[in-house]
Amino acid sequence: MSQKSFLSQSFLTFVMCFLFFLTLFCNAYAANQTQIAVGKWIAPIIYLGAFALLSQGFMHLDPERKKANEKTVGVITLVVGVMWWPFLIAMISNEGLGPITNFVAGLAGMYAFFFMVLGILEIFSLPKKSLGGIAILIGWLTFAYALFWLLNGLKISWVYHASIAFVWFVAMNLAGLLMQGRMNEKLVGWVVTFAALYTFAIPAILWSLPAGMQGPF
């Protein structure tokens, strides 16, 4: 086995272990709370999402694939997509977000499906043109969610939620165009990296803080 192959497999093993133990930790922490805050349902999902999105963003910032390995990124993306489902099912079963539980879970479910399919296509180096159309459709559906946050919420937090949805609207449309061969890959890499930080990493950290310290949430 070459050193490059060994390092690739070691990294993949580390990623799988990290995601597994992160999920166990988040589940155990949520189960021990008598009053589970909204963030305890959302934070585990978006921590995982941030990891997958950052790997996608960094890969697209390296179009020549000198440092990125598409198969490894595909495995990360597929695993994250699969791991979202237990959280979504538990959130729906416990109505963790109150009256908007199904509304939010529906949107998250679309992205979980997208991550799973994208991961499979990357692992097996399959064409992504058809998935590009689905990405654009999900982007426009996300834009509808952005309008919902703006039109049905009076608190300032809804404005931030709307901005998150709008960033995803842009990112998914650009990603869809890239899959159809009509977009610059590095541009998509920058947008996806920004989306990973602004819509996943930062909200996850804020939602993990105690009540009253969660900023716009």
Side-chain angles (χ1 to χ4, degrees), residues 103 107-108 110-111 135-149 161-170 172-173:
F103 187 79
L107 179 63
M110 286 190 291
Y111 281 95
I136 293 172
L137 173 61
I138 294 176
W140 280 95
L141 290 173
T142 307
F143 183 70
Y145 277 71
L147 295 178
F148 172 84
W149 299 130
H161 291 156
S163 70
I164 289 175
F166 182 76
V167 169
W168 270 106
F169 163 70
V170 174
M172 291 300 283
N173 275 275

Side-chain angles (χ1 to χ4, degrees), residues 20 40 49 62 124 143 160 174 189 199:
F20 176 73
K40 304 312 174 187
D62 179 26
F124 296 101
F143 183 70
Y160 186 73
L174 293 182
T199 71

Side-chain angles (χ1 to χ4, degrees), residues 41-60:
W41 291 104
I42 298 296
I45 294 175
I46 56 181
Y47 271 124
L48 293 170
F51 190 72
L53 258 292
L54 282 174
S55 67
Q56 289 286 338
F58 293 155
M59 181 184 72
H60 289 307

Side-chain angles (χ1 to χ4, degrees), residues 173-175 177-188:
N173 275 275
L174 293 182
L177 292 174
L178 174 65
M179 293 176 191
Q180 296 176 344
R182 296 186 289 164
M183 184 53 59
N184 179 274
E185 185 172 3
K186 278 198 171 182
L187 174 61
V188 174

